[in-house]
């Protein structure tokens, strides 16, 4: 029979579960998903850290930190955000949730939530703090009526960022303007800092962050006095915690590539009809090849000397089984083959004509996204991809370090291909030192898949002790200066508490588009 299973290095294959990250698919959430209307592609991105490292969780917290929280609890929180869970990859170090609107990654010590469209991400933040307090047992404070929760865990650091919206007038809740978002965050945290990075009259990016050891905004009227307990840890434990914090923060880097005005020919591959045609071409081409190879291997069925002891009908069945069992619809071969009359009897699998994970896997492979962190270099990497109706694409990748004892990292991709609102994003925290490639090479490969008219890049890099000099940050700002086919329009380097931030904006040389969509003109 024809093989329609996804290869083992993709998580949508049940055969890949043994000894690998586990994939859970939410069938109910995938019903009636549709991206027909104009869609707000640029995402809201939230990172909440409750410790600087999974190696230095607070002693009172649960050993597994946030990862002990049941998925059903996270789903309740996501209801406040207005998005659903499509599927989950569970690995040793991180759980990767593919959402109806983008992604969520849960580590023991931090949560990353990225949502697009008109989702109300910040409406879920108080609930995240409550879950971290009540279930993960992180240190917490008394209730605050402004938070609307019974209690709230005290985070180590908080980061919130987004690009300027394409359709800001359609946003809801606290996301109607950057000013409202900052007010919402300031109600929760003391001493947060808000930035707009880039040109006010051009492409720009917003950032809100807190300093290490974030303080929550206290209740307006404390219900009772609090007793502050000071723990006296042995000096050896203090040194171990400090070293763990240095290791994790020193390796922390996040690259975001935010692309608009995608080349129509490149965007077409993220439409369901196009992806289904690619899958069909691969399917029938492989059927043709399998039958041809079977004929070569078996020769003429009438040449019974080669099959002494077999009945004729047994030889025919053997030939048919070889033809069918060797078909692989996920081959990387060209899709230019047309089915012949003899192959029309094959039934094209239903899952390759409708939205879902099967076509998501086809697109991930055929577009080249799965080759950014290839299985040859990362044999344990897992990709969870989904293609929407009539277009649109999302994928999460879990990328364990190829070195023994290394950390597990992630990447995530989201695509809105419609011409009037085309957008694609790529985000990863896989360190450049681990890939053996320059950051510019990764950017060049990703940009080549979409050929956007313009794009922004943000790179967060944790400072090491020797990097506190701003001249070091400026030197880092010279990274990925030249991207083939594009001119750099803007470059900004920020020296932040514990991090260097590099922001760059590019336009394609032959792009004939208009002025940037500015979004919030009044702010």
């Amino acid at each position: 029979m024809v093989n329609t299973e996804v290869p083992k290095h993709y998580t949508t294959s049940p055969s890949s579960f043994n000894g690998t990250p586990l994939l859970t698919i939410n069938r109910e959430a995938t019903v009636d998903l549709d991206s027909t209307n104009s869609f707000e592609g640029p995402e809201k991105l939230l990172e909440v850290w409750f410790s600087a490292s999974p190696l230095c969780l607070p002693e009172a917290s649960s050993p597994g930190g946030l990862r002990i929280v049941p998925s059903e609890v996270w789903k309740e929180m996501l209801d406040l955000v207005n998005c659903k869970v499509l599927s989950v990859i569970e690995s040793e170090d991180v759980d990767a949730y593919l959402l109806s609107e983008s992604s969520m990654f849960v580590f023991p010590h931090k949560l990353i939530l990225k949502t697009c469209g008109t989702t109300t991400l910040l409406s879920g933040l108080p609930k995240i703090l409550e879950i971290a307090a009540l279930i993960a047992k992180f240190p917490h404070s008394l209730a605050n009526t402004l938070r609307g929760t019974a209690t709230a865990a005290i985070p180590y650091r908080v980061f919130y960022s987004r690009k300027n919206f394409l359709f800001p007038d359609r946003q809801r809740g606290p996301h109607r303007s950057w000013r409202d978002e900052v007010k919402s965050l300031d109600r929760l945290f003391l001493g947060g800092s808000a930035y707009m990075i880039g040109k006010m009259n051009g492409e720009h990016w917003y950032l809100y962050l807190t300093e290490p050891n974030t303080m929550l905004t206290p209740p307006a009227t404390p219900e009772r006095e609090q007793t502050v307990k000071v723990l006296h840890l042995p000096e050896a434990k203090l040194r171990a915690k400090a070293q763990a914090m240095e290791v994790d923060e020193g390796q922390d880097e996040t690259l975001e590539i935010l692309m608009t005005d995608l080349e129509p020919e490149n965007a077409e591959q993220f439409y369901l009809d196009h992806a289904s045609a690619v899958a069909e071409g691969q399917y029938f081409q492989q059927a043709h090849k399998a039958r041809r190879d079977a004929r070569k291997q078996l020769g003429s069925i009438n040449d019974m000397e080669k099959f002494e002891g077999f009945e004729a009908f047994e030889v025919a069945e053997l030939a048919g089984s070889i033809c069918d069992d060797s078909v692989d619809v996920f081959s990387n071969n060209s899709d230019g083959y047309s089915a012949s009359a003899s192959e029309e009897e094959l039934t094209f699998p239903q899952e390759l004509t409708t939205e879902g994970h099967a076509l998501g896997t086809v697109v991930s492979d055929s577009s080249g996204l799965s080759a950014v962190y290839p299985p040859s270099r990362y044999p344990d990497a897992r990709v969870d991809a989904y293609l929407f109706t009539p277009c649109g694409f999302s994928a999460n990748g879990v990328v364990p370090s190829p070195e023994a004892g290394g950390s597990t990292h992630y990447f995530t991709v989201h695509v809105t291909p419609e011409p009037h609102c085309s957008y694609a994003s790529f985000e990863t925290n896989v360190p450049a030192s681990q890939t053996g490639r320059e950051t510019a090479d990764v950017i060049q490969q990703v940009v080549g898949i979409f050929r956007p008219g313009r794009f922004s890049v943000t790179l967060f890099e944790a400072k090491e002790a020797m990097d506190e000099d701003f001249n070091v940050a400026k030197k880092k700002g010279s990274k990925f200066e030249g991207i083939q086919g594009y001119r750099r329009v803007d470059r900004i380097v920020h020296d932040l508490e514990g991090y260097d931030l590099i922001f760059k904006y590019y336009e394609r040389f032959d792009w004939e588009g208009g002025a940037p969509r500015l979004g919030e003109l009044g702010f």
Side-chain angles (χ1 to χ4, degrees), residues 251-396:
Q251 295 179 347
D252 183 41
E253 63 180 74
T254 302
L255 172 69
E256 262 197 302
I257 309 171
L258 311 175
M259 299 164 277
T260 56
D261 303 282
L262 311 183
E263 183 69 19
E265 183 177 344
N266 296 63
E268 185 182 8
Q269 59 193 325
F270 299 97
Y271 280 77
L272 189 145
D273 288 346
H274 183 275
S276 185
V278 170
E280 185 175 12
Q282 293 176 349
Y283 182 86
F284 287 116
Q285 184 185 44
Q286 288 300 297
H288 171 74
K289 182 178 183 298
R291 290 182 175 181
R292 185 183 61 210
D293 292 346
R295 292 190 191 102
K296 290 180 180 179
Q297 183 176 351
L298 297 177
S300 172
I301 290 180
N302 294 325
D303 186 1
M304 299 305 296
E305 292 181 358
K306 296 182 180 179
F307 299 96
E308 185 177 353
F310 286 84
E311 297 292 338
F313 76 90
E314 292 177 320
V315 175
E317 288 179 352
L318 178 61
S321 67
I322 292 177
C323 290
D324 287 347
D325 288 345
S326 58
V327 175
D328 181 5
V329 300
F330 294 104
S331 169
N332 230 352
N333 294 332
S334 167
D335 61 343
Y337 174 74
S338 298
S340 66
S342 64
E343 284 151 347
E344 290 177 355
E345 64 196 52
L346 294 173
T347 302
F348 189 51
Q350 179 69 22
E351 60 267 30
L352 294 177
T353 64
T354 58
E355 73 166 62
H357 291 84
L359 277 182
T361 301
V362 171
V363 172
S364 178
D365 198 25
S366 62
S367 67
L369 285 168
S370 61
V372 176
Y373 299 109
S376 58
R377 166 69 175 164
Y378 300 94
D380 295 325
R382 295 292 176 264
V383 179
D384 179 16
Y386 194 97
L387 188 70
F388 295 88
T389 298
C391 61
F393 173 85
S394 287
N396 285 342

Side-chain angles (χ1 to χ4, degrees), residues 43-107:
E43 301 98 342
K44 314 162 184 87
L45 175 60
L46 174 70
E47 288 197 27
V48 186
W49 294 51
F50 294 96
S51 171
S53 164
L55 303 177
C56 59
L57 299 177
E59 288 199 341
S61 66
S62 300
L66 295 173
R67 295 197 61 217
I68 72 160
V69 177
S71 60
E72 293 304 316
V73 174
W74 291 128
K75 290 176 183 178
E76 292 176 5
M77 179 276 293
L78 292 170
D79 285 341
L80 301 174
V81 178
N82 294 297
C83 61
K84 301 293 183 183
V85 175
L86 300 182
S87 53
V88 186
I89 303 176
E90 298 176 2
S91 69
E92 184 177 350
D93 300 314
V94 59
D95 296 332
Y97 289 73
L98 193 64
L99 308 179
S100 55
E101 284 83 8
S102 299
S103 302
M104 181 173 74
F105 298 90
V106 181
F107 295 82

Side-chain angles (χ1 to χ4, degrees), residues 440-457:
D441 296 332
V442 176
I443 297 172
Q444 190 78 63
Q445 184 174 1
V446 172
V447 167
I449 294 170
F450 300 98
R451 293 201 71 234
R454 51 194 168 187
F455 69 93
S456 300
V457 176

Side-chain angles (χ1 to χ4, degrees), residues 21 49 70 90 92 98 122 127 131 183 234 246 316 318 386 398 410 416 451 456 471:
W49 294 51
E90 298 176 2
E92 184 177 350
L98 193 64
L122 290 179
K127 189 67 175 178
I131 291 170
K183 287 181 179 178
E246 288 177 6
L318 178 61
Y386 194 97
V398 173
Y410 72 89
T416 303
R451 293 201 71 234
S456 300
N471 289 326

